[in-house]
Amino acid sequence: MGSVDFTVVIPTYDGSQRFPEVLDALKCQYISNNGVQWEILVVDNNSQDDTPEKVKYYQQAWPLEFPLRYCLEPRQGLAFARQRGIEEANGTYVAFLDDDTVPDQQWVECAFDFGQAHPEAGAFGGQVHGDFEVSPPENFKRIQSFLAIKERGEQAHLYDPKNLVLPPGAGLVVRRQAWLQSVPTCLSRVSSGEDFEASLHLHQAGWEIWYCPTMHLFHQIPKWRLEPKYLLKLSKTVGLCVCELRLLHTSKLQIPIVVMRILLGNLRRIIRHLLHYRWQLKDDLVALCELRFFIYSFISPFHLLRKKLNV
């Protein structure tokens, strides 16, 4: 197939029980502009389940006007799968959906229209709502961004890449040509930071990163992802990538300044958090996750140094 306007890429690993709901939602998309040509590409990230057979089953009765394609990426890792999706896509715009993020009925049209209206945008993302199997902990909104949940209001606005305020990879839409020109084919694969890394490369190349409020996704959150053990581990992982992301495009002269800001800023946050929640940490999972994030953000420069010494 030749060039199209919009490609939806769904990377998946052992997701044969998850991605069918995403495909069902895409099959029901409302596109008022019949001139928009789009396609769907499932990138199988070396799955061990019946993902290839499940995609073939869907392809048998799939509408011809927006093709459903499949490719295999044998290198394990989301960064590899997304890069393969970019390379295989035919669209001017490429949108990434995780296999557990379900778009609303107008998601594709809203994404395409926003890209057309903002030619300076190299990437943009919309609202990502939590679809919880069980009720989240009290005050969960304070840490919901750790689970790629983004609800930033009803006004479109620029993100703030310098302070790592960026859209999640789930639901991210990019200009394919901008990615090919600006994003390395092999990202450094910052642990838990690969979503942000691509956007930072685009920003460094002069592209704007936007928030589009009319794009709505629903991130399915199973019970196990709200358990204390998982959330505490996630808080640590997100914290440890802070320094590496902040230094991604920092000049050598500025590195000591950025590192000192990370250390002093997070030390201040740790002290203030302990003073405020010192008697509640045992029973307040959200406050404990926040503290863990601050601690490992403080540790992140030393984590990066050890990582580089071990290379």
Side-chain angles (χ1 to χ4, degrees):
M1 182 178 179
S3 177
V4 298
D5 299 306
F6 200 89
T7 300
V8 178
V9 171
I10 308 171
T12 185
Y13 172 71
D14 285 354
S16 67
Q17 300 303 310
R18 296 187 299 273
F19 70 74
E21 187 170 352
V22 181
L23 292 180
D24 289 340
L26 289 170
K27 194 173 184 179
C28 298
Q29 288 292 296
Y30 172 76
I31 309 290
S32 62
N33 181 358
N34 293 327
V36 176
Q37 301 295 313
W38 66 293
E39 64 178 357
I40 301 163
L41 173 64
V42 176
V43 180
D44 181 355
N45 197 197
N46 203 27
S47 297
Q48 304 303 306
D49 65 1
D50 62 339
T51 286
E53 291 75 20
K54 188 65 69 72
V55 176
K56 288 179 183 178
Y57 171 79
Y58 268 82
Q59 285 175 325
Q60 291 173 3
W62 196 261
L64 294 177
E65 57 265 31
F66 49 99
L68 172 60
R69 300 168 52 213
Y70 168 91
C71 71
L72 173 67
E73 173 48 65
R75 296 173 298 175
Q76 204 75 58
L78 184 57
F80 290 127
R82 287 180 175 159
Q83 179 63 32
R84 181 63 182 272
I86 286 284
E87 293 168 358
E88 295 285 341
N90 296 308
T92 301
Y93 302 96
V94 178
F96 296 109
L97 288 181
D98 287 355
D99 60 17
D100 59 358
T101 52
V102 181
D104 77 355
Q105 197 173 18
Q106 293 181 291
W107 190 81
V108 169
E109 181 171 76
C110 289
F112 177 75
D113 288 348
F114 190 86
Q116 291 290 90
H118 295 80
E120 71 283 4
F124 52 93
Q127 302 203 48
V128 184
H129 311 286
D131 183 5
F132 301 100
E133 182 181 4
V134 297
S135 297
E138 187 177 358
N139 297 319
F140 181 73
K141 283 185 177 294
R142 302 205 315 249
I143 61 168
Q144 66 179 9
S145 63
F146 293 173
L147 287 171
I149 297 173
K150 294 282 185 178
E151 297 166 323
R152 298 177 59 87
E154 302 304 318
Q155 297 296 320
H157 57 261
L158 284 167
Y159 272 100
D160 182 11
K162 290 184 179 180
N163 289 306
L164 300 185
V165 181
L166 290 163
L172 186 70
V173 183
V174 301
R175 293 182 187 274
R176 182 173 181 270
Q177 197 58 38
W179 178 297
L180 290 173
Q181 293 174 348
S182 309
V183 180
T185 54
C186 291
L187 294 175
S188 64
R189 303 180 70 202
V190 181
S191 178
S192 189
E194 54 198 13
D195 285 3
F196 287 4
E197 189 177 354
S199 292
L200 288 170
H201 284 299
L202 288 166
H203 175 70
Q204 178 67 15
W207 292 96
E208 294 179 352
I209 314 298
W210 278 81
Y211 168 74
C212 170
T214 58
M215 296 164 53
H216 293 272
L217 279 181
F218 297 89
H219 187 191
Q220 298 174 320
I221 310 293
K223 178 182 178 180
W224 62 269
R225 296 192 72 182
L226 294 175
E227 293 176 354
K229 182 179 180 180
Y230 178 83
L231 288 176
L232 288 170
K233 181 180 179 180
L234 181 62
S235 303
K236 172 183 175 179
T237 304
V238 174
L240 285 177
C241 74
V242 166
C243 184
E244 191 165 359
L245 287 171
R246 287 195 178 277
L247 295 183
L248 194 61
H249 294 293
T250 300
S251 67
K252 290 184 178 180
L253 290 176
Q254 290 293 314
I255 287 177
I257 298 173
V258 173
V259 169
M260 285 304 300
R261 286 176 177 171
I262 292 171
L263 293 173
L264 295 176
N266 283 288
L267 181 60
R268 183 169 61 249
R269 292 186 184 97
I270 291 167
I271 294 171
R272 291 171 60 182
H273 204 71
L274 286 171
L275 290 174
H276 191 274
Y277 292 105
R278 59 187 180 278
W279 307 117
Q280 304 172 40
L281 289 174
K282 183 178 179 181
D283 302 311
D284 189 334
L285 176 59
V286 170
L288 190 58
C289 286
E290 289 175 321
L291 177 61
R292 196 171 177 86
F293 170 72
F294 297 148
I295 289 172
Y296 283 97
S297 295
F298 175 83
I299 293 172
S300 65
F302 308 104
H303 173 73
L304 177 58
L305 178 61
R306 186 174 67 176
K307 180 178 176 180
K308 288 187 176 297
L309 290 175
N310 291 335
V311 171

